[in-house]
Amino acid sequence: MNELVKSLPSPTLPGLHLPCLDACKGWLFKWTNYLKGYQRRWFVLSNGLLSYYRTQAEMAHTCRGTIPMATAHIEVGDTCHLVLTSGGRSYHLKATSEGECQRWVSALQQAKANATLLMQHSDDSGDEGPVPQEDRALTQGVLKSLASKLDDLSTCNDLIGKHGAALQRSLSELEELRGSTDSTDRVKAVNERATLFRITSNAMINACRDFLDVAESHSRRWQKALQYEREQRHHLEETIEQLAKQHNSLERAWRENPTSYTGVERSQEGDASDENDEAEFFDAMEDSPAFITVTTSGDIQHKRSGSNQSMMSGGVPNDWSHNENETSGTNHMQVRRTRRSRIPDKPNYSLNLWSIMKNCIGKDLSKIPMPVNFNEPLSMLQRLTEDLEYSELLDRAARCDSSLEQMCLVAAFSVSSYSTTVHRTAKPFNPLLGETYELDRLEEYGYRSISEQVSHHPPAAAHHVTSQRGWTLWQHITIDSKFRGKYISVVPLGNIHLQFHSSGNHYVWSKVTSTVHNIIVGKLWIDQSGDIDIVNNTTKDTCRLKFSPYSYFSREVPRKVTGVVEDREGTAHYILSGTWDDKMESAKIVDSSQGCGGSEGKQKTVYQTLQPKLLWKKYPLPDNAENMHFFSSLALTLNEPEEGVAPTDSRLRPDQRLMEAGLWDEANAQKQRLEEHQRLERKRKEVQANQALEEGQDIEGYQPLWFEKRTDDTTGESTHVYRGGYWEAKDRQDWTQCPEIF
């Protein structure tokens, strides 16, 4: 009995970690690819994170991936299958049995609930600021004491269960031996066990009392500290907001009169140089690029570039350095025609999004009638044209003699098209079949653009741009959009083609997936994720850009983009880095070596580079942009009325014009009228097609007016390309071929 009493916890028992309510671990099968199929992985769910490893031994040194449960979507599939979706990426998992699958699903749902609650608490209370050393030591002491008391409670609980079971057995045996000679010994044993049970229960009660006393004694202090941190956070937010406004004003003043701020420009260049003195590394995560970059010192840079002074300046062509200021808004400094710089403010209409979207889960959004409250006053054709916001990047690329330097600028252009989407969570209008949009900027920027809606289901648009400054761009994009309950994914299908007139270099790439989050609750926000593979079909140079998906728990820079430019032999020449909502830089590679092991046992390549050079920088948004749908300077002009455009032009669409004017009720009525007219027209054509079938006649599908369907010689894809004639028809003002769609 004495030995059992000694096993009771003492008040000074060392503390253990607090128990994790959502902890779970075990083997699951994870889908890898079509070659390997499902592979066995060791999964560990702890503290709101689901991590997986190849083996249990890997837990000590290598994690193959981590899924934050706070932002994950859990979907139970067929037998023993479940799908986790986070940050635009899906993880297909399979358990060994139904029971095991249900155990994981319950644990994951509990972990998600806990993590969501923690995030909400974090949003309410604010981030923790720096804590004084004495406060940190006191807090750690209190936590250690609480952990010790909690460990005492756990031990007492185990002993109560053990002694209670023994007491129950003794009582049962006593009933069986009633009247026997051994009854005296049995009664003595029962008394001993009852005494142990009483002692353990008293220890449990005392431990509970101690735990409660410690918690209550420090609760008021913690509440005061929390209130202080909230006040500090509020003060810091006000300071940052004030600094941001001052920075925006200075930047706008500089753009209006850059010659008056040459001293500021030199200072900024000096600061940038100081920042680049530190080495830059890319973390070795599973989905991170398979390389690490190290910026060289000034001595090495001077040594490597000294032999090419006539062509290079700091590792970058003189053409880049000379035109670097073009990224600061050259397109907006030589405007010959005054275009509008504002539109009416967006009305503050409240609408329950979930009441409409709850019946749309898993459906194609292009087939669902939506009120204009979810739109912005631009069509998808105009959003495609908005990719030309930074067309000067292509003007600079057309003047490059080196195809590799040209590739860097083309890559920066492909990233720049996403910069206008960071605050644009509203959807553009779905164009009507046969709808067109032109943008004539020959005087200002040397190009003119024409686009047309060539298909309605699936929705597809064709776009063609010709520039007098040495390039032609065309694309055929089909939009696949799905609503998944908590987010909307928009997947553009099709390729973008770009050809430079002097060199004949022909570039091809596609777009990444756009995801709009927090559809049900919270503030809407948009993310871009996936890879862009840019290929120069003429020289076979390549560039892979990786758009890293946003993660709440990641230490990576949000909206990060990285890439490597390689020649046809696979030799890397430039490292690209930046963010899709701000800027892109390039750094010339001077040396490479194999580094330490990365994910999946592969070695990472370490690239030694010169100082990075700015390729592209986002223009600041106009004043009052938050009340004008967060439109950029170009977007504000896209719906500006123009004389002489085709009667099918998006500028003439009545529901879109009414929405821009703030008349949303009238816009909704016009939108319903146009959609009903389009449905009746489609039914009429279906009847005509059926009649033709019955009569044995050939059926000819819809034929776009300005584009025709061809097979691309380079990619082998079926695409719509410009057949010509639009600008000639505009010169003649002959629109007799155009259908009446409005």
Side-chain angles (χ1 to χ4, degrees):
M1 176 175 174
N2 291 334
E3 292 178 357
L4 291 173
V5 173
K6 289 179 181 177
S7 66
L8 291 173
S10 64
T12 59
L13 193 66
L16 299 176
H17 292 291
L18 294 174
C20 181
L21 297 177
D22 55 358
C24 187
K25 61 181 66 175
W27 291 103
L28 289 173
F29 289 90
K30 174 181 174 291
W31 175 262
T32 56
N33 53 53
Y34 286 100
L35 293 177
K36 296 182 179 180
Y38 281 95
Q39 295 292 316
R40 195 164 177 252
R41 295 288 185 262
W42 179 255
F43 280 80
V44 177
L45 176 63
S46 179
N47 297 323
L49 297 175
L50 179 63
S51 306
Y52 59 92
Y53 313 82
R54 279 191 173 179
T55 63
Q56 290 177 259
E58 275 193 348
M59 292 178 61
H61 54 84
T62 304
C63 178
R64 298 294 173 179
T66 302
I67 307 169
M69 298 309 302
T71 58
H73 173 67
I74 305 169
E75 181 179 352
V76 181
D78 298 335
T79 307
C80 301
H81 284 73
L82 61 148
V83 181
L84 299 180
T85 305
S86 177
R89 181 176 178 182
S90 296
Y91 300 83
H92 296 264
L93 309 178
K94 183 170 65 174
T96 55
S97 65
E98 285 284 358
E100 183 72 5
C101 180
Q102 186 57 44
R103 182 177 75 91
W104 274 103
V105 170
S106 300
L108 291 172
Q109 290 175 342
Q110 181 62 44
K112 178 177 176 60
N114 293 344
T116 304
L117 186 62
L118 182 62
M119 286 178 62
Q120 292 173 350
H121 175 73
S122 176
D123 291 341
D124 293 339
S125 61
D127 298 328
E128 293 184 1
V131 182
Q133 186 66 31
E134 58 273 13
D135 290 349
R136 186 184 296 111
L138 179 60
T139 302
Q140 290 176 351
V142 173
L143 292 177
K144 185 176 180 181
S145 177
L146 287 174
S148 174
K149 299 299 181 184
L150 190 64
D151 184 65
D152 292 349
L153 293 175
S154 178
T155 305
C156 289
N157 182 60
D158 293 340
L159 289 174
I160 285 176
K162 178 181 176 181
H163 296 324
L167 181 59
Q168 185 65 40
R169 287 196 303 271
S170 298
L171 290 173
S172 300
E173 293 171 357
L174 188 60
E175 287 289 337
E176 295 173 359
L177 295 175
R178 182 176 297 174
S180 173
T181 56
D182 296 334
S183 60
T184 303
D185 295 335
R186 294 295 182 183
V187 170
K188 184 178 181 181
V190 170
N191 287 332
E192 289 180 352
R193 289 194 170 95
T195 302
L196 283 174
F197 189 81
R198 187 183 70 254
I199 293 173
T200 308
S201 300
N202 289 335
M204 180 75 166
I205 294 173
N206 291 333
C208 290
R209 186 180 294 112
D210 292 341
F211 184 89
L212 187 61
D213 290 343
V214 173
E216 287 182 345
S217 63
H218 290 83
S219 62
R220 291 186 178 179
R221 174 182 174 85
W222 288 342
Q223 289 176 358
K224 290 181 180 179
L226 182 60
Q227 181 62 30
Y228 173 77
E229 293 299 332
R230 285 176 175 169
E231 294 173 356
Q232 290 296 313
R233 179 189 179 186
H234 181 68
H235 176 70
L236 182 60
E237 287 176 346
E238 291 180 343
T239 304
I240 292 176
E241 183 179 1
Q242 184 178 2
L243 288 174
K245 291 180 179 178
Q246 292 175 358
H247 174 78
N248 192 27
S249 300
L250 288 173
E251 192 170 14
R252 191 180 305 109
W254 180 83
R255 294 189 185 283
E256 293 174 355
N257 191 9
T259 57
S260 301
Y261 294 86
T262 53
V264 176
E265 183 178 7
R266 293 194 189 99
S267 174
Q268 290 174 344
E269 292 177 355
D271 294 341
S273 176
D274 293 340
E275 291 176 1
N276 292 328
D277 284 343
E278 299 182 0
E280 179 181 1
F281 295 91
F282 292 86
D283 293 341
M285 298 176 66
E286 181 176 4
D287 296 323
S288 64
F291 61 84
I292 301 174
T293 58
V294 180
T295 307
T296 65
S297 63
D299 295 338
I300 298 178
Q301 179 181 351
H302 176 74
K303 180 179 179 181
R304 300 293 294 188
S305 61
S307 60
N308 297 318
Q309 287 293 330
S310 61
M311 182 185 73
M312 306 288 286
S313 174
V316 175
N318 286 329
D319 184 56
W320 292 13
S321 301
H322 177 72
N323 293 289
E324 186 167 315
N325 288 333
E326 291 184 16
T327 60
S328 300
T330 302
N331 273 3
H332 296 273
M333 294 172 62
Q334 299 178 353
V335 179
R336 299 179 183 178
R337 171 182 169 180
T338 302
R339 299 189 183 274
R340 68 181 186 180
S341 58
R342 66 170 294 109
I343 59 175
D345 287 357
K346 174 183 177 182
N348 186 19
Y349 284 128
S350 61
L351 187 66
N352 187 352
L353 179 62
W354 178 241
S355 65
I356 296 176
M357 300 298 291
K358 64 182 179 181
N359 298 320
C360 308
I361 297 177
K363 297 181 181 179
D364 186 347
L365 292 184
S366 64
K367 299 181 180 180
I368 300 171
M370 305 281 284
V372 300
N373 305 56
F374 302 127
N375 289 73
E376 61 180 17
L378 291 178
S379 73
M380 178 58 71
L381 300 179
Q382 291 166 311
R383 284 291 290 267
L384 276 181
T385 308
E386 202 174 342
D387 288 355
L388 302 173
E389 177 100 25
Y390 300 93
S391 62
E392 77 273 8
L393 290 171
L394 301 183
D395 298 341
R396 292 164 55 194
R399 297 192 294 269
C400 283
D401 296 327
S402 168
S403 63
L404 295 170
E405 298 163 4
Q406 190 177 73
M407 174 67 84
C408 292
L409 289 166
V410 172
F413 174 79
S414 69
V415 175
S416 70
S417 62
Y418 297 97
S419 64
T420 62
T421 66
V422 63
H423 300 296
R424 305 266 290 277
T425 54
K427 67 184 292 288
F429 280 79
N430 291 329
L432 303 175
L433 187 62
E435 187 173 333
T436 61
Y437 180 74
E438 68 156 76
L439 187 69
D440 191 342
R441 292 292 190 269
L442 280 179
E443 292 185 359
E444 297 99 323
Y445 312 134
Y447 70 80
R448 55 186 182 182
S449 159
I450 176 64
S451 55
E452 181 180 5
Q453 187 77 356
V454 297
S455 173
H456 188 62
H457 289 306
H463 184 208
H464 183 86
V465 189
T466 301
S467 173
Q468 295 178 338
R469 299 177 184 176
W471 53 270
T472 299
L473 181 145
W474 66 97
Q475 58 181 320
H476 176 205
I477 299 296
T478 300
I479 301 297
D480 181 22
S481 56
K482 295 288 185 180
F483 176 50
R484 302 298 186 184
K486 293 186 178 180
Y487 65 92
I488 296 174
S489 62
V490 180
V491 184
L493 306 175
N495 290 323
I496 303 171
H497 297 257
L498 171 66
Q499 189 166 27
F500 292 99
H501 303 164
S502 59
S503 64
N505 288 339
H506 181 184
Y507 295 86
V508 181
W509 70 93
S510 57
K511 290 179 174 288
V512 297
T513 299
S514 301
T515 308
V516 181
H517 296 270
N518 287 351
I519 297 298
I520 299 177
V521 64
K523 184 179 180 180
L524 292 175
W525 61 278
I526 193 167
D527 193 23
Q528 315 288 348
S529 59
D531 295 339
I532 293 181
D533 290 314
I534 307 176
V535 179
N536 184 340
N537 288 318
T538 306
T539 64
K540 306 305 179 185
D541 300 337
T542 61
C543 175
R544 165 162 285 192
L545 294 171
K546 176 177 176 55
F547 286 64
S548 300
Y550 174 78
S551 173
Y552 180 81
F553 298 96
S554 175
R555 296 184 179 180
E556 291 280 0
V557 176
R559 310 179 185 97
K560 182 178 179 181
V561 181
T562 55
V564 181
V565 175
E566 298 178 344
D567 60 20
R568 65 186 307 159
E569 306 297 333
T571 303
H573 291 267
Y574 288 94
I575 295 294
L576 305 180
S577 62
T579 57
W580 54 262
D581 67 326
D582 185 26
K583 66 178 180 180
M584 286 296 293
E585 296 177 334
S586 69
K588 186 174 179 60
I589 298 172
V590 295
D591 193 14
S592 63
S593 59
Q594 293 299 318
C596 57
S599 62
E600 302 295 334
K602 298 179 181 179
Q603 284 189 324
K604 289 217 169 190
T605 303
V606 179
Y607 292 123
Q608 194 175 29
T609 68
L610 299 178
Q611 296 288 344
K613 295 293 181 180
L614 182 68
L615 292 174
W616 159 75
K617 175 74 175 174
K618 180 187 176 183
Y619 302 145
L621 290 175
D623 290 338
N624 196 40
E626 64 277 7
N627 294 320
M628 298 186 295
H629 309 274
F630 287 98
F631 280 178
S632 64
S633 297
L634 175 63
L636 288 173
T637 67
L638 292 180
N639 210 40
E640 187 175 8
E642 296 270 356
E643 294 183 359
V645 299
T648 53
D649 196 274
S650 298
R651 298 177 180 87
L652 304 177
R653 182 166 172 164
D655 53 351
Q656 191 171 297
R657 297 228 64 89
L658 288 168
M659 182 194 177
E660 182 183 276
L663 305 174
W664 284 16
D665 292 336
E666 294 85 345
N668 276 318
Q670 285 292 330
K671 187 172 185 292
Q672 292 178 6
R673 180 187 66 82
L674 291 175
E675 290 172 348
E676 182 62 26
H677 174 73
Q678 186 169 236
R679 280 191 289 269
L680 293 175
E681 183 67 17
R682 185 169 64 251
K683 290 179 180 179
R684 184 183 65 82
K685 291 181 178 180
E686 289 175 355
V687 171
Q688 292 178 350
N690 292 332
Q691 291 177 352
L693 276 175
E694 293 175 357
E695 297 173 1
Q697 300 177 2
D698 294 334
I699 303 174
E700 184 177 355
Y702 175 78
Q703 297 296 323
L705 189 56
W706 310 111
F707 290 80
E708 60 183 359
K709 199 169 187 177
R710 293 182 191 169
T711 300
D712 188 87
D713 297 333
T714 305
T715 62
E717 63 180 349
S718 179
T719 181
H720 282 82
V721 297
Y722 181 55
R723 71 171 73 194
Y726 178 86
W727 302 108
E728 292 79 5
K730 182 180 180 182
D731 292 339
R732 300 191 307 267
Q733 282 298 294
D734 180 12
W735 304 117
T736 55
Q737 302 179 68
C738 295
E740 295 182 5
I741 60 174
F742 299 142

